């Protein structure tokens, strides 16, 4: 199946984040759309189109869905109550018991658990693949393979997957290519333009960007989004109107936020790379990054996420984390505040240290989500914590 179709973009992204999907305005209209915090709506007796918040067909959800679809160049988008809800419903709409899913082994910890623990229990077979191995996908294919799932850039190692080979393969086979594009946001990467069929986001991260909304998004063709909506309705993964209203507010500044985060992160990554306390700095914008060429070719910006390894390992990481003053030590990413976290205690806590090391996350590995503070203040904070 092919759940995507590109649509023309009438405006630049900086304009689309503010206005895409807006109805024509008239005198007396509020400039800020109202929050409609109602679960149900009065209906025509006998009408069979139920308007109910869990069905995702309420005003605040529909506004934001149109806007995000325009940002990704998708026919339709669906907003869900979390990134995990989006991943679960987005994949369950494609897979049935007996089907096989190929997934990159470099995926968010929660997604890893969903695929390897929950899906396998439901009779959906999942093979985790080393995507940087030549012909990796083709060699793991089965006749039951229905979709390929990747995450790029990868949380937390900032590896960037080359979309070319994998999208040619899914097109050739007529199976779906599903991309978790949370780390990039549509400002830096629009997977549908590179042959993906489905785009998933944790809207909790860059899309909302203010650390105050949990949400997820799935983008694709209308018939596919209808299927995802059926999953959303029965699994109860619909967001509350207030979450949608806040997400719309957060989205308005997506372009300026991400542009600034791209610039600051580049400067910080170059600074980190030169420090003796730092063994390695992983940032796709650095020429030392293994995927720099792919990133330069396929991304519009290198992103606000950096990872680095402290030469002193776990003990150095403990000391560094305790000394931070401006940056906060907290889970999650992609927001206005600079955050530091360690995958060994957060997204990848359920893996063993050995398992983490094999996917490039040794102890002493720090993830930095660059916020909107002045870049020199962020660097000064990192410097005093490293010393
Ligand atoms: C955070 C995250 C998720 C899960 O999103 P939630 O909103 O926390 O459910 C999925 N994928 C990636 C890459 C993430 O960073």
């Amino acid at each position: 199946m092919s759940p995507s179709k590109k649509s023309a973009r009438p405006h630049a992204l900086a304009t689309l984040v503010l206005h895409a999907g807006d109805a024509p305005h008239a005198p007396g209209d509020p400039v800020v759309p109202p929050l409609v915090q109602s679960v149900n709506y009065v209906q025509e007796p006998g009408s069979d189109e139920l308007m109910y918040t869990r069905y995702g067909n309420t005003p605040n959800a529909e506004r934001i869905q149109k806007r995000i679809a325009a940002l990704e160049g998708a026919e339709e988008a669906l907003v869900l109550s979390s990134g995990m809800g989006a991943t679960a419903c987005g994949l369950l709409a494609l897979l049935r018991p007996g089907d096989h899913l190929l997934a990159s082994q470099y995926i968010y910890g929660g997604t890893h658990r969903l695929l390897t623990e929950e899906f396998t229990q439901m009779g959906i077979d999942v093979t985790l693949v080393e995507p940087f191995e030549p012909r990796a996908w083709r060699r793991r294919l089965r006749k039951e393979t229905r979709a390929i799932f990747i995450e790029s850039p990868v949380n937390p190692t900032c590896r960037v997957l080359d979309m070319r080979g994998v999208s040619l393969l899914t097109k050739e086979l007529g199976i779906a290519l599903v991309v978790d594009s949370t780390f990039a946001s549509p400002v830096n990467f629009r997977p549908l333009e590179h042959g993906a069929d489905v785009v998933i986001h944790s809207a909790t991260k860059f899309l909302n960007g203010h650390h105050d909304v949990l949400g997820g998004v799935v983008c694709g063709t209308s018939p596919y989004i209808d299927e995802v909506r059926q999953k959303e309705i029965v699994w109860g993964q619909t967001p509350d109107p207030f979450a949608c209203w806040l997400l719309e507010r957060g989205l308005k500044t997506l372009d300026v936020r991400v542009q600034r985060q791209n610039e600051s992160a580049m400067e910080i990554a170059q600074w980190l790379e030169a420090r003796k306390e730092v063994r390695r700095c992983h940032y796709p914008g650095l020429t030392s990054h293994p995927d720099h060429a792919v990133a330069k070719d396929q991304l519009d910006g290198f992103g606000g996420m950096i990872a680095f390894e402290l030469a002193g390992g776990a003990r150095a990481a403990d000391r560094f984390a305790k000394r931070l003053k401006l940056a906060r030590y907290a889970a999650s990413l992609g927001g206005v505040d600079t955050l530091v976290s360690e995958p060994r205690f957060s997204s990848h806590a359920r893996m063993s240290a050995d398992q983490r090391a094999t996917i490039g996350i040794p102890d002493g590995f720090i993830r930095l989500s660059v916020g909107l503070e002045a870049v020199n203040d962020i660097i000064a904070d990192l410097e005093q914590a490293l010393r």
Side-chain angles (χ1 to χ4, degrees), residues 211 324 327-333 338-342 346 367 369:
H211 315 288
L324 290 167
R328 289 147 200 232
Y329 189 85
S332 199
L333 60 106
T338 294
L339 300 182
V340 161
S341 70
E342 290 180 87
S346 55
R367 189 182 77 182
S369 172

Side-chain angles (χ1 to χ4, degrees), residues 247-261:
L247 179 53
E248 180 173 358
R249 180 183 164 124
L251 263 179
K252 292 180 183 192
T253 54
L254 179 71
D255 190 67
V256 275
R257 280 188 284 109
V258 174
Q259 300 293 357
R260 169 70 168 269
Q261 286 164 316

Side-chain angles (χ1 to χ4, degrees), residues 82-84 108 151 155 180 182 202 204-205 214-215 333:
S82 68
M84 285 305 301
Y108 175 71
E151 182 182 305
N155 180 9
D180 179 340
T182 297
S202 165
T204 315
K205 316 295 170 53
L214 195 69
L333 60 106

Side-chain angles (χ1 to χ4, degrees), residues 80-87 106-111 149 151-156 180-183 200-205 213-216 305 332-333 347 367:
L80 297 97
S81 57
S82 68
M84 285 305 301
T87 307
Y106 301 104
I107 48 177
Y108 175 71
T111 310
F149 177 84
E151 182 182 305
S152 185
V154 172
N155 180 9
D180 179 340
S181 186
T182 297
F183 256 44
I200 292 176
H201 282 281
S202 165
T204 315
K205 316 295 170 53
V213 170
L214 195 69
M305 299 302 299
S332 199
L333 60 106
S347 56
R367 189 182 77 182

Side-chain angles (χ1 to χ4, degrees), residues 65-127:
Q65 285 166 181
K66 287 199 192 105
R67 189 149 315 161
I68 294 170
L71 300 181
E72 288 291 357
E75 229 172 71
E76 232 178 281
L78 187 71
V79 180
L80 297 97
S81 57
S82 68
M84 285 305 301
T87 307
C89 294
L91 289 174
L92 287 173
L94 290 169
L95 302 165
R96 302 284 175 271
D99 286 348
H100 177 235
L101 173 71
L102 283 177
S104 164
Q105 70 177 32
Y106 301 104
I107 48 177
Y108 175 71
T111 310
H112 184 270
R113 192 171 159 197
L114 174 74
L115 303 187
T116 59
E117 295 178 27
E118 301 297 316
F119 278 17
T120 46
Q121 269 184 41
M122 299 168 88
I124 298 165
D125 223 3
V126 179
T127 304

